[in-house]
Amino acid sequence: MASGYFLTILTFTAMYISLALSLNILTGYAGQVSLGHAAFLGIGAYTSAVLTLRYEVPFWLAFLAAIVLTGLIGTILGLPSLRVRHDFLVLATMGINFVVVSVFKYVDFFGGAMGLVNIPAPSLFGITFRGGVPYLLLTTAYALFTLWICWYLSKTWSGLAFQTIRNDEEAAASLGVNPARYKIYAFGISAALAGGVGSLYAHFLGSVFPDNFVFVESIGMLSMVIFGGIGTLRGPIVGAILLRLIPELLRFIQDYRFTFYGALLVLMMLFQPMGLLGNDSWLWQHLTRWFRSSARSAKEDVR
Amino acid sequence: MSQLEIRSVSHWFGGLQALKDVTFDTHDEILGLIGPNGAGKTTLFNVISGFIVPTSGEVRFNGKAIHRLRADQTVRLGLARTFQIVKPFASLTVEENVLVGLGMPYYPTSAALYQRYRTRSNLDQVEQILAKVHLTDYRSAQAAKLPIGLLRRLEIARALATHPKLLLLDEPAAGLVAQEAEELAALVRDLYAQGLHIILIEHNMRFAMNLCHRIVVLAQGEIIAQGNPTEIQNNEKVINAYLGQE
């Protein structure tokens, strides 16, 4: 049914909004560019799948465990960021993605290349969230939760500290920010939120395979953040919506999704490095100018 | 007791010795640190402020050994600094840059994760600090868009927000026109009058001589002279090493 198909697309879009927002904490706020975010999605998905399938842990506990465990693993995997910066960090995060996928693929406990199947659908108070509108509500609620965390974080001292290490680590240290501590925080929080999406992802599909979390998926997530407007709240949301929906609406580019992402990234880097709705972007400046002038004329009309 | 005690500090960068057995104390004063390019002035600032652990020697601040502390720890003891090449948080506004300094007590605590920074009392403090350095009019400007003279003031404002006892200024007058340098000298005097001790590195000799109570001269990593500005101006070693070049 068309509406079922549409609901599935929206459910995935909600999950990718959460992923893009979570990556934005690390890359947008704290300036640590990562090409390994799919690894955290995978860790969350496998944690939840293993706990519910093998140990019959209820979904909600497995969901929380996926958040906590992915956050802890993200904290550990963030340690290389203390030694390497910039392009070397990007390479290190790529390496992390490859290692994590290899563990899923070659360790029997995780089902190997055949993955894990028959992952149960979540249920709460007798309601089973088996796709459709209920699952869309669940993933939307999580996207709103992620948005709230990002918004709140940006108002705290930690949010300010993230911005200082993105701008200049030495200046940050001279004012009392320990860059190492805040990089680790950013990795931990970003990974934990992605882990939560992983759990929702696994229980939505009912199966997980190592290939769901490969490096190109990480490129897709980073593209969403950069395309929409890195470091802002609106950017990753708009980026995730457009980059999930455009390939669905224009079916002929579906097979070339990653070619499309790649070309878009190159164009954005060349012409709008701040992204479509970044603070200094052409579109955002025009939009804010337009809002301001219409607010002014509305005021004059009232007079 | 001396506020800052530097004892036999030496530092090597690979095969290059940047500091050779540097020893001096600071007291209630504006102290100038001068010397030709490559004399080791900024390296010494980096040692004092915790960006470099010296190869040997000791630095004490109010009696406490600080030479093994990181920069984010020394600032907590009341030792703030600015940079020779300004390092503003370019994407933040002037106000936010100063707020970063006010956050110093929070960053190592878990309160940093939930406590908001934009409170009335913090904004009031920012206003006072900006008034002190005459940046009030630029409060909402993005730091990236400010000229060098204002950025130097912003770095001082940011450092003041950490409530320091000793302020290290690395070439505060570099890139400033004469009038801006004069205004900056007045600001430094003001800060001293308010109880802050100051060490400044300076290339602008007139600026340093007019402003500092005492001057330490470094050349090739060694102290070659120290004394009041008149003594320094008449010191032959200094004239040969540095002033003679002008």
Side-chain angles (χ1 to χ4, degrees):
Chain A
M1 205 172 82
S3 67
Y5 169 70
F6 191 61
L7 283 174
T8 300
I9 293 172
L10 289 181
T11 305
F12 270 113
T13 306
M15 287 194 274
Y16 274 86
I17 287 174
S18 306
L19 284 171
L21 281 169
S22 66
L23 178 59
N24 190 46
I25 293 176
L26 181 63
T27 301
Y29 290 0
Q32 310 299 301
V33 179
S34 165
L35 270 178
H37 210 54
F40 300 130
L41 175 71
I43 293 167
Y46 270 89
T47 303
S48 204
V50 165
L51 286 176
T52 49
L53 272 178
R54 296 207 201 285
Y55 303 102
E56 293 178 1
V57 172
F59 164 77
W60 300 102
L61 270 181
F63 170 70
L64 288 177
I67 293 177
V68 173
L69 193 72
T70 314
L72 286 175
I73 294 174
T75 306
I76 295 163
L77 294 183
L79 291 176
S81 70
L82 305 185
R83 294 193 63 86
V84 291
R85 287 189 196 183
H86 311 305
D87 10 2
F88 295 103
L89 177 64
V90 178
L91 288 176
T93 54
M94 267 169 70
I96 287 169
N97 203 153
F98 286 123
V99 170
V100 169
V101 169
S102 300
V103 169
F104 295 152
K105 201 174 252 177
Y106 299 114
V107 175
D108 286 342
F109 181 74
F110 296 111
M114 303 304 290
L116 297 170
V117 293
N118 297 325
I119 302 167
S123 63
L124 183 68
F125 306 128
I127 305 164
T128 303
F129 292 80
R130 203 182 300 281
V133 175
Y135 217 94
L136 175 60
L137 292 176
L138 190 62
T139 50
T140 306
Y142 190 75
L144 289 172
F145 168 72
T146 313
L147 177 64
W148 180 79
I149 293 269
C150 292
W151 172 80
Y152 192 82
L153 199 59
S154 72
K155 305 281 174 207
T156 64
W157 290 112
S158 297
L160 195 59
F162 287 150
Q163 302 212 48
T164 66
I165 59 170
R166 185 187 74 217
N167 273 276
D168 194 306
E169 286 184 28
E170 284 193 344
S174 79
L175 297 167
V177 176
N178 178 355
R181 173 194 290 260
Y182 278 90
K183 283 183 193 175
I184 293 297
Y185 276 178
F187 265 97
I189 297 168
S190 174
L193 290 170
V197 186
S199 171
L200 295 173
Y201 183 95
H203 293 270
F204 180 63
L205 291 177
S207 56
V208 286
F209 304 100
D211 286 349
N212 294 145
F213 311 108
V214 288
F215 166 62
V216 282
E217 291 294 334
S218 297
I219 297 182
M221 294 173 204
L222 187 64
S223 306
M224 290 168 186
V225 175
I226 292 174
F227 178 68
I230 195 162
T232 62
L233 278 176
R234 57 189 179 268
I237 299 173
V238 171
I241 291 172
L242 290 181
L243 292 192
R244 283 308 299 189
L245 290 187
I246 292 173
E248 298 294 343
L249 297 175
L250 310 172
R251 296 295 304 187
F252 61 92
I253 59 167
Q254 182 67 301
D255 291 343
Y256 307 100
R257 193 154 58 104
F258 288 105
T259 317
F260 172 69
Y261 284 177
L264 211 57
L265 263 189
V266 173
L267 289 174
M268 289 311 282
M269 285 294 105
L270 280 176
F271 299 108
Q272 285 287 281
M274 293 307 293
L276 200 62
L277 291 174
N279 285 332
D280 281 338
S281 71
W282 180 88
L283 185 60
W284 185 247
Q285 282 187 342
H286 277 75
L287 279 175
T288 45
R289 210 171 296 158
W290 179 76
F291 275 126
R292 247 182 257 139
S293 66
S294 33
R296 210 177 303 134
S297 58
K299 228 184 242 173
E300 278 161 14
D301 286 350
V302 170
R303 276 184 207 152
Chain B
M1 189 176 69
S2 308
Q3 189 185 38
L4 185 72
E5 301 163 66
I6 294 164
R7 293 282 173 271
S8 306
V9 167
S10 293
H11 191 70
W12 292 80
F13 290 115
L16 177 82
Q17 188 165 19
L19 293 172
K20 291 177 198 163
D21 203 22
V22 173
T23 296
F24 68 90
D25 290 355
T26 72
H27 308 275
D28 179 1
E29 62 191 347
I30 302 175
L31 177 79
L33 197 57
I34 67 167
N37 279 334
K41 306 180 297 285
T42 294
T43 305
L44 185 58
F45 258 31
N46 285 339
V47 166
I48 298 170
S49 57
F51 283 97
I52 291 178
V53 177
T55 313
S56 63
E58 199 179 62
V59 181
R60 291 182 167 272
F61 182 62
N62 290 329
K64 184 179 163 63
I66 59 164
H67 52 281
R68 299 212 173 275
L69 297 184
R70 295 187 311 265
D72 61 284
Q73 296 170 315
T74 56
V75 68
R76 256 171 252 300
L77 301 174
L79 208 155
R81 72 167 291 178
T82 67
F83 296 90
Q84 184 181 358
I85 297 165
V86 284
K87 292 175 179 291
F89 301 122
S91 68
L92 305 184
T93 62
V94 165
E95 178 179 272
E96 287 164 341
N97 266 268
V98 179
L99 280 164
V100 174
L102 283 181
M104 185 198 73
Y106 299 96
Y107 301 126
T109 69
S110 55
L113 285 167
Y114 58 82
Q115 214 159 77
R116 293 191 187 205
Y117 63 87
R118 209 175 268 282
T119 61
R120 181 78 332 246
S121 87
N122 286 337
L123 292 174
D124 287 347
Q125 280 194 66
V126 169
E127 197 167 307
Q128 286 169 16
I129 293 167
L130 289 179
K132 219 181 250 188
V133 301
H134 309 297
L135 274 180
T136 310
D137 293 347
Y138 300 93
R139 189 175 180 142
S140 318
Q142 199 191 337
K145 292 174 180 153
L146 295 188
I148 181 79
L150 298 182
L151 288 177
R152 294 230 177 263
R153 288 172 178 278
L154 178 59
E155 279 210 344
I156 294 175
R158 228 166 47 173
L160 291 178
T162 66
H163 302 293
K165 299 183 187 99
L166 174 65
L167 184 59
L168 307 174
L169 302 175
D170 197 345
E171 295 202 33
L176 304 191
V177 297
Q179 196 200 333
E180 285 175 325
E182 258 323 300
E183 287 168 7
L184 187 78
L187 170 64
V188 172
R189 278 191 203 100
D190 261 8
L191 295 175
Y192 173 72
Q194 287 163 27
L196 196 57
H197 301 174
I198 291 157
I199 308 182
L200 57 93
I201 293 178
E202 200 39 79
H203 260 300
N204 181 336
M205 294 308 297
R206 188 184 297 173
F207 184 83
M209 294 296 169
N210 286 340
L211 187 59
C212 300
H213 302 125
R214 197 162 65 91
I215 286 175
V216 171
V217 188
L218 277 177
Q220 294 178 327
E222 279 181 294
I223 294 182
I224 58 164
Q226 48 183 314
N228 65 41
T230 321
E231 286 164 359
I232 294 300
Q233 270 167 324
N234 298 322
N235 185 306
E236 213 155 292
K237 271 190 189 165
V238 177
I239 294 168
N240 287 340
Y242 187 58
L243 297 177
Q245 296 174 352
E246 294 218 328

